[in-house]
Amino acid sequence: MRSFEATENMLTRDFRSGREFFQKLSPAAQKDFASLQIPMQYPSGKVLFSEQQAPSGVYLILDGEVKLSINSSDGKRLALRIAHAGEVLGLTSTLSGNPYEMTAEALHSARIAPIGRREFLGFLMRNPEAYQIVTEEMSAQFNMACQQLRTVGLASTAPEKLARLLLEWSERGQTTEHGTRFRFSLRHEEIGEFIGASRETVTRTLTTFKMRGLVAMNGSTLTIPNLSALASYARS
């Protein structure tokens, strides 16, 4: 049976390696794409676009993080993942003309370059080489969304779901002599949106993890002393 770590690495390693969108383009195409960017600062909580909204274009994350989520008819929210610098959001809807499938909300303060739908489609017409890269980007985003749905839908317990989530976030963390550490500043209610659990369940599970030495908290920084020990809660 494939381990959790192997599954995560297969789905996310290439996409989360820090590469910039369109870096494989020719210099002329990169210059054309850069000319479309007008960076803007988005404050924490600012919604870039909402699901069912008509597509206005794509959003290139230059710095910061963006939470992607979907909502049910009764108001429940499921957070799909956190997008990072170098990603372009809204590709599928911008290409198809269909409404956005999810809601994108800035976490903390994020620097983002919105590019209008007409301008982006014009760029693709002028640079057909970009279509392959767009396809790769959409495929990677689809794979990550599927991984999140597997975490929520197939993991049987809250500890298993939370362990998977923390291991995923740790991939962008920093390795230290005390373990792998990363920023962890979301409220427990927000974390619950990623695993389909209540705030109380998240608080109780994190407390258990701390008591067992699986995680350590210092302000807005979380450290995982032993990734293998935490992975034991994230069964494949």
Side-chain angles (χ1 to χ4, degrees):
M1 181 177 294
R2 179 185 294 133
S3 68
F4 169 71
E5 293 92 339
T7 300
E8 279 290 280
N9 289 338
M10 177 185 69
L11 291 175
T12 63
R13 181 182 296 142
D14 290 340
F15 191 69
R16 296 183 178 177
S17 62
R19 65 175 174 79
E20 291 291 333
F21 189 59
F22 278 61
Q23 70 173 6
K24 297 178 182 178
L25 286 174
S26 64
Q30 290 185 31
K31 183 176 180 181
D32 189 3
F33 186 60
S35 70
L36 303 178
Q37 302 172 28
I38 303 178
M40 300 176 60
Q41 201 70 30
Y42 286 71
S44 176
K46 177 68 175 181
V47 174
L48 283 63
F49 55 81
S50 302
E51 54 191 296
Q52 301 307 315
Q53 174 188 333
S56 58
V58 300
Y59 293 78
L60 171 63
I61 306 176
L62 301 173
D63 185 55
E65 300 171 329
V66 174
K67 181 174 71 174
L68 303 176
S69 63
I70 55 177
N71 296 286
S72 65
S73 57
D74 60 358
K76 293 182 180 179
R77 175 179 291 186
L78 173 64
L80 295 174
R81 65 184 183 88
I82 295 177
H84 301 87
E87 297 189 43
V88 175
L89 308 179
L91 279 171
T92 302
S93 296
T94 296
L95 292 177
S96 67
N98 295 326
Y100 290 116
E101 308 96 334
M102 58 191 70
T103 296
E105 177 185 342
L107 286 177
H108 318 295
S109 179
R111 186 166 171 263
I112 298 170
I115 300 175
R117 183 168 185 257
R118 178 181 299 180
E119 289 74 18
F120 186 72
L121 294 179
F123 166 78
L124 294 179
M125 291 290 291
R126 295 189 301 273
N127 303 277
E129 62 183 285
Y131 279 104
Q132 180 178 348
I133 300 172
V134 167
T135 301
E136 293 173 356
E137 193 83 2
M138 291 192 298
S139 176
Q141 293 182 10
F142 174 76
N143 282 338
M144 285 190 287
C146 288
Q147 176 61 27
Q148 172 61 7
L149 292 175
R150 274 191 287 269
T151 295
V152 174
L154 300 182
S156 59
T157 66
E160 182 180 348
K161 295 177 183 180
L162 185 56
R164 287 187 175 215
L165 185 67
L166 296 180
L167 288 170
E168 176 186 342
W169 288 349
S170 73
E171 290 183 0
R172 300 184 65 89
Q174 178 184 8
T175 301
T176 72
E177 60 179 338
H178 301 293
T180 302
R181 66 182 184 187
F182 56 93
R183 183 168 65 176
F184 188 76
S185 56
L186 294 178
R187 302 189 306 274
H188 289 188
E189 180 180 0
E190 294 176 307
I191 297 169
E193 294 176 0
F194 284 89
I195 61 174
S198 66
R199 176 183 59 80
E200 292 79 9
T201 297
V202 172
T203 300
R204 184 168 58 251
T205 304
L206 276 176
T207 299
T208 299
F209 283 1
K210 293 175 187 176
M211 292 176 59
R212 296 183 179 181
L214 297 173
V215 301
M217 292 288 299
N218 183 12
S220 61
T221 299
L222 184 142
T223 300
I224 302 176
N226 188 323
L227 292 174
S228 297
L230 185 61
S232 66
Y233 280 81
R235 299 184 303 274
S236 57

